[in-house]
Amino acid sequence: MKQIINIMVAFLLVVPSMAQPTANDLLKKIDQNLSSKNRVFESEMTIHGKRASRTVVSKTYSVGDKQAFTEYLSPAREQGTKMLKLENQLWIYSPSTDRTIQISGHMLRQSVMGSDLSYEDMMDDRKLTEIYDGQVLRTETLDDRTCYVVELIANVSDVAYHKRLMWVDAERFVPLKEELYAKSGQLLKQTVMSEVLKIQGRWFPTKMVYKDMLKQGDGTEFKVLNASFDQDIPDYLFTKAALKQ
Amino acid sequence: MRIAFKLAYRNLIGAGLRTWLNVLVLSFSFVIIIWAKGVLVGWDHQAKTDMAQWEIAQGQYWHKLYDPYDFFTIADSHAPVPEAFQAAIDQQAMVPILVAQGTIYPEGRMMPILIKGIKSDQTLLKIPAYKLDTISDAIPVVIGANMSKACHLKKGDRTILRWRDSQGTFDAAEIEVVEVFSTLVPSVDAAQVWIDLKTLQEKLNMPDEATLFSFGALEHQPAEQGDFLLKTTKDLTSEIDDMIATKSKGQAVFYGILLLLAMLAIFDTQILSIFRRQKEIGTYVALGYTRREVVGLFTVEGAMHAVLAAGLAAAYGIPFFIWQSKVGFTIPMDTSEFGMAISPTMYPVYSVGLILSTTLIVLITTTVVSYWPSRRIAKMNPTEALRGKIQ
Amino acid sequence: MIKFLFKGLWRDKSRSRMPILIVAVGVALSVFLHAYITGMMGDSIEMNAKMSFGHVKVVSKAYAENMSQMPLDLALMETTDLTQRLSQEFPTITWVERIQFGGLVDAPDAEGSTMTQGPAVGMGVDLLSEHADEVERMNLAQSLIQGRLPGQPGEVLLSDQFARNLKVNPGDAITLIGSTMYGGMSYYNFIVSGTVSFGVKVLDKGTMIADIQDVRLALDMEDAATEIVGFFSIGYFDGDIASNISHQFNDKFTETPGDEYAPAMLTLKDQPGMGQMVDLGAAMGAIITGVFMFAMALVLWNAGLLGGIRRYGEFGIRLAMGEAKSHVYISLLYESVMIGIMGAVVGTMFGLFFAWLLQTYGLDLGDSMKGSSIMLPTVLRARITPVDFYIGFIPGIVSTLIGTALAGLGIYKRKTSQLFKELEV
């Protein structure tokens, strides 16, 4: 989830530009634009299972890219479950067992809450500009919006996805669609973003549908219920002790 | 004593059908026991030969972290091919195999599998790796018949294979099944695809690396070579040994019952002999035989069944054994439904030790059983016996 | 006449005792052998049936397609109802609900943080209810290495090797991390009550066995189960019964065609590798039994022959007294049938008795089989099937009769002059 937020947040752009910008410019502008001290948002994730769909509501506090704390609010089974990410470590606290469990190694490759996302997808907190070289390929119309199609090719080897294609709204500078590719060029995953709203002066896509393209199924739907920036978040939230409270 | 044997022989032959029935049953025991044990040894050989031919050759080296029963070890169990192995690999005496985890998506279903890389020019193992040279715009793979059945992929079918390279980057490509092979070794068949080693090394970004090696004739077999540990044939086939050990124990009971049945016949015959030939016994004693000698005479006569049976068993058993070891023993069942094109055939293997020990066991048992009722003779009153009076 | 002959046999022990004894022993051996072979061939099959496959198994159609992945989201729902219906439809089958699942077992240190972790293959079975027969079925008590069986909710068994890898002992707490049947995260605390070893590498690596109610709570599977496993009351797998039942079931229970969550029944033979094992067992059993029956027929034939020869003297007298040769011969045949029947009855009884002993108590092969990766039973057991009640009668009566008939032919060759020589006593 965090990764989605990262992506989303990374691509919010307020300053419109008339000339076609370079991809790196785009990425940098997105970064600059979104550099808030911290963010707090409540979100709703709907997982379309083979048989039934489930909706999980959570509240996330994050500072920069390195620290994040998520508390699950519903459904009842998940309520009170907390997740803490510090740098590249991840802990989950479950109230029913009163246990703090470190998620590491192979466990990171497991799916989060049965969604099409893995813990690992949430862990990569490097900026896109650091690990990808970008290039604006063309402009295209997507859902009646003019978009820049940005191609990102990894410039480091330890990334999950070698290539990304991103459709960035040319006016509001919000990503509307992203495709993740394997090294071979095979399309693996697709994210479609919509319902772009203005929050605290920023354009914010509040709905994303995340889908594993190789698998049958309807994917995972992610909805931001409310978001706020530059809040007072107490430091102790980002400690293991906070998990148990 | 020679006279005893002569007498015994004449008596037996004179009894005609009765003797021959006994001898036939006894010879049966010989043949069946030797054959059944031979099949078991043959099974053992066949299972081990199959494993050797398809999977382990004369032994393997495993990466120290590799554990085929723990999927989580697989991502980390790979290392560059040790310098010391290179010569053997070039001479086809060693085959490096790289193992990785992957996912295939037949009909949109996700199926976790193992990807095994093998050199397409290898000749050590029976995996049809040469087919991996097939020209195709997809990656050519060969799979086993059981795998083919489980994922509904036939020769010529295509699907997407997804994996992660050494750095965790996702990669995926279309694969084409260029050959489906039939094997009796599930560990090279179930839930795995075989692809060209070079291709896999490239795709995984693990140049010149391997997870394990199967080796043939290898002069030096150090217990450890770099990150790789020696696994001898004995280690790798211990499961077959266990199975055969259980089966032999189970079979032993069967031999016992079969022998018991044969002995029942001998016992019955002996009882009748002693009952019917009291006058003869009396006469022997009257002629100066000690009772022990008379008992000996009857015992020899009973035991001679076993000798005749051995002869008869040899007469029809040897051709049967030879024929069986040539054509093998195929279990009469329909194997097609199990996705196997071949039926497991066991070629019995007979050893001198097996034949000698079986003969000895039958001979000793027969002698004991012949002696047992004969003891009654020692208790007989010779005068009464001479009169043929039933005692 | 039959009564007369019977009396004769009964009173003249030399005429009846030995032949009946031989027939009885031969028949007893055959019955025992057949039961033993059936037991031996079926043992590995039964072991697999009890541990996982059942004789028949009900799963959802979608689950059947993806069985190897243990997909909880494709589990059966409303299983209480379904089990009840199954019990009504097929009352001779014992139905039990089970949940197979995968997950991660996490052992905490003193502070409750992760100390060790390991992947587990879990099984939720009825361990605690009043009529729980799974403990016996899965041979858990005998497999126990440390500690004891779960006695209350929240307790779990781990395979011994797994427990050692995790560095936990009986009494320690562990957490199961898995996903619920709806895909949610699940965490559930257990206390390790004991450790078990099945002598099978795959199972000993990372198995956990818990009461099904705990697993339901843990995985949010209220009134659900991955499978409902059925065991025949006859105690062993019978391919005909199984396919019969599965046809009946699939006709009756599949109300809506195309519903991929509708229950479907699989027989043991449909499970991977088991069909082969069942057929192989049957083929080997038939071959061994056939060979043995042939050998026994020869032995009984010989016994009949010997029985006839025993009575040459008697025939002489009867012939001398003017009895017709054919009459003597026919009465001899009648007697042999009676001997055959009596021998077969006595033999079958003894054979069944010994087979029952081996079926009940088993013959322990010791622990030499530990550590194998295929399920091998370490105790040899016989198994009595209906066939055993009549299998001895065929060779018992027919072979005896043939032997006697051959021996009796001598009657026709008899000359009265020879008779008096034999009577010179």
Side-chain angles (χ1 to χ4, degrees):
Chain A
M1 236 153 317
K2 174 84 183 357
Q3 174 71 357
I4 303 181
I5 303 307
N6 281 343
I7 301 162
M8 266 169 37
V9 160
F11 285 89
L12 290 182
L13 199 65
V14 258
V15 188
S17 165
M18 296 315 283
Q20 179 168 310
T22 68
N24 267 6
D25 280 348
L26 273 176
L27 296 179
K28 268 191 194 128
K29 276 176 192 165
I30 292 165
D31 267 356
Q32 286 163 7
N33 165 61
L34 277 168
S35 58
S36 60
K37 197 172 81 197
N38 57 43
R39 327 173 255 281
V40 178
F41 51 88
E42 229 176 282
S43 60
E44 192 183 86
M45 183 163 73
T46 304
I47 298 142
H48 296 288
K50 240 187 123 134
R51 211 170 194 171
S53 296
R54 299 181 323 119
T55 300
V56 182
V57 178
S58 63
K59 189 167 189 178
T60 300
Y61 304 81
S62 65
V63 174
D65 295 321
K66 310 281 182 206
Q67 298 178 318
F69 179 93
T70 302
E71 180 172 1
Y72 291 89
L73 307 175
S74 76
R77 259 193 92 87
E78 247 79 65
Q79 194 186 353
T81 301
K82 293 165 192 160
M83 206 180 318
L84 174 66
K85 188 210 139 182
L86 292 177
E87 302 278 341
N88 49 6
Q89 284 181 295
L90 183 69
W91 291 273
I92 290 181
Y93 170 78
S94 101
S96 62
T97 58
D98 192 27
R99 285 285 317 278
T100 304
I101 289 151
Q102 178 158 18
I103 309 287
S104 59
H106 300 279
M107 187 62 185
L108 285 170
R109 294 191 174 180
Q110 304 294 310
S111 125
V112 182
M113 298 247 169
S115 68
D116 284 10
L117 281 149
S118 68
Y119 292 102
E120 205 179 33
D121 285 336
M122 307 166 29
M123 294 302 290
D124 200 340
D125 50 16
R126 292 171 298 184
K127 286 196 167 74
L128 287 176
T129 44
E130 280 172 31
I131 52 178
Y132 287 101
D133 290 331
Q135 181 189 358
V136 179
L137 295 181
R138 57 184 183 269
T139 52
E140 218 173 70
T141 311
L142 187 74
D143 286 336
D144 296 331
R145 309 268 337 161
T146 310
C147 294
Y148 295 119
V149 182
V150 182
E151 181 191 63
L152 298 170
I153 305 282
N155 55 23
V156 290
S157 55
D158 58 334
V159 288
Y161 304 100
H162 177 71
K163 183 179 113 175
R164 293 161 182 259
L165 274 192
M166 210 176 273
W167 280 254
V168 185
D169 188 316
E171 216 176 294
R172 299 182 302 202
F173 292 89
V174 179
L176 294 181
K177 182 168 136 184
E178 188 182 28
E179 289 178 347
L180 305 176
Y181 290 85
K183 262 179 9 187
S184 63
Q186 168 75 41
L187 174 60
L188 295 175
K189 288 178 178 172
Q190 175 190 278
T191 318
V192 175
M193 290 144 250
S194 57
E195 289 167 34
V196 182
L197 301 176
K198 202 164 201 176
I199 301 169
Q200 286 184 303
R202 305 156 207 257
W203 286 107
F204 207 96
T206 57
K207 188 184 164 191
M208 351 184 43
V209 178
Y210 200 83
K211 189 173 168 352
D212 185 333
M213 298 304 283
L214 297 177
K215 216 167 63 172
Q216 285 172 336
D218 298 324
T220 302
E221 219 174 281
F222 190 85
K223 237 175 165 168
V224 175
L225 301 177
N226 60 64
S228 48
F229 303 90
D230 299 326
Q231 302 293 302
D232 281 329
I233 304 173
D235 282 345
Y236 82 85
L237 208 54
F238 302 105
T239 61
K240 272 174 80 181
L243 287 169
K244 284 204 174 200
Q245 285 171 5
Chain B
M1 208 56 196
R2 251 185 77 188
I3 211 158
F5 278 100
K6 241 184 193 165
L7 261 174
Y9 180 72
R10 290 223 178 115
N11 273 329
L12 281 183
I13 299 298
L17 183 61
R18 275 179 287 151
T19 301
W20 291 117
L21 280 175
N22 280 342
V23 168
L24 193 60
V25 169
L26 212 48
S27 74
F28 240 64
S29 310
F30 271 112
V31 175
I32 295 288
I33 293 175
I34 293 175
W35 175 76
K37 282 199 164 180
V39 167
L40 209 55
V41 177
W43 188 359
D44 185 33
H45 277 227
Q46 178 256 340
K48 284 181 182 164
T49 310
D50 269 346
M51 244 181 113
Q53 287 176 343
W54 285 95
E55 189 182 11
I56 60 172
Q58 291 178 33
Q60 288 185 319
Y61 277 94
W62 285 8
H63 188 271
K64 59 185 182 217
L65 296 176
Y66 178 64
D67 178 353
Y69 292 107
D70 185 353
F71 263 44
F72 283 178
T73 62
I74 285 163
D76 303 320
S77 45
H78 56 89
V81 174
E83 200 64 33
F85 287 170
Q86 204 51 56
I89 293 170
D90 294 340
Q91 288 159 21
Q92 293 283 5
M94 206 174 208
V95 174
I97 293 170
L98 181 60
V99 185
Q101 281 179 287
T103 311
I104 56 170
Y105 295 85
E107 297 151 10
R109 281 190 297 137
M110 229 176 112
M111 248 182 99
I113 51 138
L114 288 181
I115 314 170
K116 291 188 177 171
I118 187 165
K119 288 170 74 163
S120 61
D121 61 352
Q122 68 87 22
T123 50
L124 191 63
L125 303 177
K126 274 173 95 175
I127 311 281
Y130 59 93
K131 288 275 184 183
L132 298 173
D133 273 349
T134 309
I135 310 257
S136 165
D137 54 342
I139 298 177
V141 301
V142 295
I143 59 174
N146 281 320
M147 171 70 178
S148 163
K149 201 175 167 232
C151 63
H152 309 290
L153 288 174
K154 296 183 296 295
K155 191 173 167 177
D157 286 354
R158 293 181 172 213
T159 188
I160 298 275
L161 168 67
R162 195 196 70 185
W163 67 91
R164 310 184 73 156
D165 70 10
S166 59
Q167 305 280 356
T169 306
F170 279 110
D171 203 350
E174 200 171 34
I175 54 170
E176 179 183 336
V177 178
V178 291
E179 183 74 334
V180 175
F181 58 86
S182 290
T183 175
L184 290 169
V185 184
S187 44
V188 298
D189 182 345
Q192 55 196 287
V193 301
W194 292 86
I195 87 171
D196 176 58
L197 179 68
K198 268 265 160 327
T199 314
L200 186 62
Q201 285 170 337
E202 237 166 66
K203 298 286 181 195
L204 293 177
N205 201 10
M206 297 176 188
D208 267 332
E209 295 198 19
T211 303
L212 56 101
F213 301 85
S214 295
F215 60 80
L218 208 62
E219 277 172 36
H220 273 309
Q221 294 181 9
E224 208 178 325
Q225 185 65 257
D227 288 331
F228 296 92
L229 308 177
L230 176 69
K231 300 277 166 185
T232 61
T233 310
K234 201 174 170 358
D235 301 334
L236 297 166
T237 59
S238 63
E239 282 161 23
I240 299 174
D241 290 334
D242 288 349
M243 185 185 67
I244 298 292
T246 326
K247 292 282 169 207
S248 350
K249 284 182 183 174
Q251 268 197 358
V253 176
F254 168 60
Y255 305 146
I257 295 175
L258 194 62
L259 267 181
L260 262 178
L261 188 73
M263 291 309 122
L264 182 67
I266 301 288
F267 187 73
D268 194 17
T269 309
Q270 288 294 96
I271 297 261
L272 184 79
S273 293
I274 292 154
F275 172 79
R276 293 243 321 153
R277 288 155 64 189
Q278 301 211 22
K279 267 198 245 171
E280 190 186 326
I281 294 166
T283 314
Y284 286 136
V285 177
L287 283 173
Y289 272 78
T290 63
R291 285 176 190 166
R292 273 186 55 194
E293 279 168 335
V294 181
V295 171
L297 194 69
F298 275 79
T299 308
V300 167
E301 198 178 304
M304 197 167 270
H305 278 108
V307 179
L308 289 175
L312 183 66
Y316 72 88
I318 289 174
F320 172 72
F321 293 150
I322 293 174
W323 172 71
Q324 272 288 302
S325 66
K326 283 216 177 93
V327 303
F329 171 63
T330 305
I331 291 158
M333 59 175 192
D334 180 20
T335 49
S336 58
E337 61 173 301
F338 315 120
M340 273 195 285
I342 37 172
S343 234
T345 297
M346 300 158 199
Y347 296 90
V349 175
Y350 322 100
S351 61
V352 179
L354 166 63
I355 292 167
L356 284 183
S357 64
T358 311
T359 313
L360 210 64
I361 288 169
V362 175
L363 201 61
I364 290 172
T365 331
T366 314
T367 309
V368 171
V369 171
S370 304
Y371 168 72
W372 197 26
S374 307
R375 283 177 317 167
R376 264 180 66 179
I377 294 167
K379 291 183 202 134
M380 278 182 180
N381 181 334
T383 45
E384 299 270 302
L386 206 50
R387 290 177 61 210
K389 202 157 181 192
I390 294 158
Q391 296 179 355
Chain C
M1 175 165 159
I2 290 173
K3 204 173 162 193
F4 170 76
L5 290 174
F6 183 77
K7 270 188 182 160
L9 279 177
W10 191 249
R11 287 179 187 160
D12 181 359
K13 294 282 191 271
S14 76
R15 249 201 272 176
S16 57
R17 196 177 53 196
M18 200 59 200
I20 291 179
L21 187 71
I22 298 292
V23 175
V25 174
V27 167
L29 284 177
S30 312
V31 170
F32 178 78
L33 179 97
H34 185 262
Y36 170 74
I37 293 291
T38 317
M40 188 174 82
M41 291 300 166
D43 248 9
S44 340
I45 296 167
E46 287 313 309
M47 189 161 172
N48 280 291
K50 286 176 180 160
M51 292 305 288
S52 65
F53 299 137
H55 294 136
V56 289
K57 186 191 236 181
V58 177
V59 294
S60 80
K61 274 186 190 149
Y63 189 88
E65 302 249 310
N66 298 284
M67 195 115 64
S68 60
Q69 294 160 47
M70 297 185 284
L72 283 185
D73 54 330
L74 307 179
L76 292 167
M77 310 251 249
E78 291 162 14
T79 50
T80 312
D81 270 4
L82 188 56
T83 309
Q84 219 157 42
R85 270 186 73 191
L86 282 166
S87 306
Q88 275 164 13
E89 282 308 323
F90 310 105
T92 56
I93 299 177
T94 309
W95 297 99
V96 292
E97 294 169 41
R98 287 185 182 173
I99 296 173
Q100 301 212 39
F101 60 95
L104 197 75
V105 167
D106 183 291
D109 59 15
E111 275 101 56
S113 291
T114 296
M115 171 180 74
T116 48
Q117 270 180 4
V121 174
M123 215 187 302
V125 295
D126 183 3
L127 296 176
L128 300 176
S129 85
E130 267 173 58
H131 36 79
D133 44 9
E134 296 272 72
V135 171
E136 199 197 321
R137 188 171 292 125
M138 297 176 72
N139 204 24
L140 292 179
Q142 281 81 354
S143 310
L144 210 58
I145 302 286
Q146 285 186 70
R148 54 173 178 79
L149 296 172
Q152 61 193 61
E155 292 188 330
V156 71
L157 288 173
L158 293 183
S159 59
D160 196 56
Q161 197 191 337
F162 191 33
R164 273 185 280 128
N165 289 349
L166 290 172
K167 300 188 182 74
V168 296
N169 292 304
D172 289 351
I174 54 160
T175 305
L176 168 71
I177 308 168
S179 65
T180 71
M181 127 171 229
Y182 306 99
M185 282 189 282
S186 84
Y187 304 89
Y188 200 81
N189 282 349
F190 285 106
I191 301 289
V192 178
S193 75
T195 67
V196 285
S197 173
F198 297 104
V200 180
K201 266 187 210 162
V202 193
L203 286 182
D204 286 345
K205 191 91 205 172
T207 297
M208 66 176 285
I209 298 173
D211 184 56
I212 190 163
Q213 292 306 340
D214 276 322
V215 176
R216 283 192 168 126
L217 284 174
L219 305 177
D220 199 9
M221 293 186 70
E222 187 56 43
D223 203 19
T226 54
E227 58 203 42
I228 301 175
V229 190
F231 297 94
F232 300 161
S233 58
I234 47 172
Y236 55 88
F237 180 73
D238 182 313
D240 294 335
I241 301 181
S243 71
N244 209 343
I245 285 173
S246 78
H247 280 130
Q248 276 183 48
F249 175 88
N250 291 333
D251 284 348
K252 266 185 198 151
F253 283 74
T254 319
E255 284 102 355
T256 41
D259 175 9
E260 54 172 340
Y261 301 103
M265 190 181 279
L266 304 174
T267 75
L268 180 77
K269 276 184 88 169
D270 301 328
Q271 318 269 356
M274 293 312 289
Q276 196 177 345
M277 217 158 160
V278 170
D279 284 3
L280 192 121
M284 289 300 273
I287 290 172
I288 293 173
T289 311
V291 164
F292 186 79
M293 284 296 154
F294 185 64
M296 190 182 88
L298 293 181
V299 169
L300 292 187
W301 181 3
N302 197 30
L305 211 55
L306 296 177
I309 291 166
R310 271 198 184 92
R311 297 170 56 189
Y312 267 29
E314 176 203 326
F315 297 150
I317 298 172
R318 281 166 68 179
L319 290 175
M321 284 164 70
E323 206 175 328
K325 280 182 176 171
S326 61
H327 189 264
V328 174
Y329 189 60
I330 288 169
S331 67
L332 181 66
L333 294 188
Y334 270 119
E335 281 175 10
S336 90
V337 171
M338 284 185 221
I339 286 169
I341 292 176
M342 281 189 280
V345 169
V346 174
T348 302
M349 274 167 22
F350 274 96
L352 286 175
F353 173 69
F354 287 114
W356 174 80
L357 284 182
L358 192 60
Q359 175 172 292
T360 313
Y361 299 105
L363 182 66
D364 200 338
L365 292 182
D367 52 8
S368 62
M369 300 300 134
K370 290 259 162 75
S372 165
S373 78
I374 33 174
M375 279 203 211
L376 288 175
T378 54
V379 179
L380 283 182
R381 279 179 200 281
R383 192 205 296 144
I384 298 171
T385 51
V387 179
D388 296 324
F389 288 87
Y390 60 80
I391 194 165
F393 281 77
I394 306 155
I397 296 167
V398 176
S399 303
T400 316
L401 187 63
I402 294 176
T404 314
L406 279 172
L409 286 179
I411 295 169
Y412 290 96
K413 292 185 205 149
R414 289 299 283 256
K415 298 206 174 69
T416 320
S417 56
Q418 246 180 328
L419 162 74
F420 285 103
K421 269 186 109 177
E422 278 187 22
L423 286 178
E424 274 172 27
V425 270

